[in-house]
Amino acid sequence: MNRAALISLQVLVAVIIVVLWHLASTTTLFGNPKTVAFFFGDPVSVMRRVGEWVFEGSIWYHLWITLSESILAFLIGAAGGVLFGFWFARKPLVAAVFDPYVKAANALPRVVLAPIFALWFGLGIWSKVALGITLVFFIVFFNVYQGVKEVSPTVLSNARMLGMNERQLLRHVYLPSALSWMFSSLHTSVGFAVVGAVVGEYLGSAAGLGYLIQQAEGVFDVTGVFAGMFVLMAFVLLVDWLVGLVEKRLLAWRGR
């Protein structure tokens, strides 16, 4: 299937969902439209609210706050995951010693950590960044670790026979092997970085998309809640697309 056809099908799915939503909130096809609109809003009102935010300019400040938190969480968490993933994969003893502690830390519910981070770092940007880091780090760490462990022993033996040192092995063998795993994790962790920022904002903040959603929810403004979620989804898709561009650039060698 070519790219144009794929995009057409993706757009068609979105159109069908919006049409069904509109019918449910404006007609009796799926029951009482007032009840549906009360709990789910209606697409016209939601899009109108998003348009108001965009044209009035009120959304840009909140987007910038969430973007800053998400980028910091993504960069720091991904860098930590890559470094520790490579280190643990190359040092079996270190991996064996710290294995139960890594698993225990990964099992901690992040929502429980959010109030602790707020206590440690305050209600500013860094408590949201810390929460996002805990979500991003483990996703990238486990993928990079597995990617390095999956290196073919035959390739390693041949590289060592050719006289490669550890730095050359890292650059020409381990890194290319781990890149596919790493970018697979980055696509997932982009969303989790945003989730960490938004959840932190939701629990305590004065700005950001999570703050907007929390404020709307506090006054039972369903339209505002769904408008905030739509802006959030569009934001995540845009960032994921940018990660995809970087991935294609760095993994261009796979098509050769």
Side-chain angles (χ1 to χ4, degrees), residues 18-38 41-44:
V18 171
V19 168
L20 291 175
W21 181 16
H22 180 71
L23 291 175
S25 59
T26 57
T27 70
T28 57
L29 186 62
F30 298 99
N32 188 344
K34 293 184 179 179
T35 302
V36 175
F38 177 79
D42 68 89
V44 175

Side-chain angles (χ1 to χ4, degrees), residues 33-205:
K34 293 184 179 179
T35 302
V36 175
F38 177 79
F39 286 104
F40 299 98
D42 68 89
V44 175
S45 298
V46 169
M47 291 302 107
R48 186 182 297 119
R49 180 70 61 84
V50 173
E52 290 173 358
W53 287 347
V54 171
F55 291 113
E56 291 174 0
S58 59
I59 193 65
W60 302 116
Y61 174 69
H62 297 286
L63 269 175
W64 171 247
I65 295 295
T66 301
L67 176 63
S68 302
E69 296 164 349
S70 302
I71 288 177
L72 286 171
F74 178 74
L75 293 178
I76 298 172
V82 170
L83 291 174
F84 280 93
F86 269 104
W87 185 39
F88 275 46
R90 298 291 293 121
K91 303 292 182 181
L93 178 60
V94 173
V97 170
F98 287 97
D99 179 68
Y101 301 101
V102 171
K103 290 178 179 177
N106 187 41
L108 290 174
R110 306 307 192 271
V111 176
V112 174
L113 293 175
I116 297 176
F117 289 144
L119 180 64
W120 289 351
F121 303 111
L123 295 177
I125 185 174
W126 289 108
S127 59
K128 286 76 176 175
V129 172
L131 184 60
I133 289 172
T134 63
L135 292 168
V136 173
F137 173 83
F138 289 103
I139 298 173
V140 178
F141 169 81
F142 286 117
N143 276 271
V144 171
Y145 177 81
Q146 191 62 37
V148 176
K149 297 292 285 185
E150 290 290 326
V151 173
S152 170
T154 304
V155 174
L156 274 177
S157 299
N158 290 336
R160 288 193 174 104
M161 286 177 61
L162 292 172
M164 285 190 180
N165 56 33
E166 285 301 311
R167 180 177 296 181
Q168 290 170 326
L169 285 174
L170 177 64
R171 179 180 177 183
H172 298 290
V173 178
Y174 288 112
L175 188 58
S177 174
L179 272 179
S180 296
W181 290 79
M182 184 175 70
F183 275 105
S184 175
S185 67
L186 292 182
H187 281 290
T188 305
S189 59
V190 163
F192 278 98
V194 178
V195 167
V198 171
V199 169
E201 292 167 353
Y202 184 88
L203 294 176
S205 180

